[in-house]
Amino acid sequence: MSQSSKNLKLIYRKLKISDFKEFQKLFYLCFKRKISFKFYKWRYFNGDLSFCYGVFISNKLVANVGMVSKELSNNQREKVYSRHSS
């Protein structure tokens, strides 16, 4: 590991709705597509079983992973999770 990467202060935390601008920048860098605030809010803040965690250097979001729950259309009402990351 290089000396410069040892000195990085990484901050890991659950994203807030107010992190949208940083999320939007990272999403565009990774996928070259714009994401709307409406979609971000719906995808990661729409219920208890959907969430997104991020890694920050200072105030800049450099990585994220999100989990979105879906209920299967079967008699057992099973849930599955879809992982999204950038």
Side-chain angles (χ1 to χ4, degrees):
M1 184 179 286
S2 72
Q3 185 62 32
S4 61
S5 48
K6 288 181 187 177
N7 293 333
L8 292 178
K9 185 175 179 189
L10 301 176
I11 300 164
Y12 303 86
R13 68 170 171 79
K14 191 172 185 178
L15 293 186
K16 304 177 224 172
I17 290 182
S18 61
D19 292 316
F20 171 67
K21 288 293 184 191
E22 283 299 312
F23 183 90
Q24 187 179 46
K25 287 180 208 173
L26 180 62
F27 191 90
Y28 188 80
L29 282 172
C30 292
F31 304 112
K32 301 299 184 235
R33 293 182 63 198
K34 292 184 178 182
I35 187 170
S36 71
F37 178 71
K38 183 178 178 180
F39 181 82
Y40 170 74
K41 190 173 163 185
W42 169 79
R43 173 68 82 185
Y44 299 113
F45 300 94
N46 189 25
D48 295 336
L49 300 176
S50 297
F51 52 87
C52 195
Y53 280 85
V55 180
F56 292 81
I57 298 174
S58 295
N59 291 328
K60 183 178 180 183
L61 181 64
V62 295
N64 79 285
V65 63
M67 297 292 283
V68 177
S69 69
K70 297 288 182 191
E71 192 169 289
L72 294 178
S73 298
N74 62 18
N75 292 335
Q76 287 87 17
R77 298 180 55 122
E78 295 174 297
K79 292 205 182 300
V80 295
Y81 288 89
S82 174
R83 181 183 58 82
H84 305 207
S85 59
S86 51

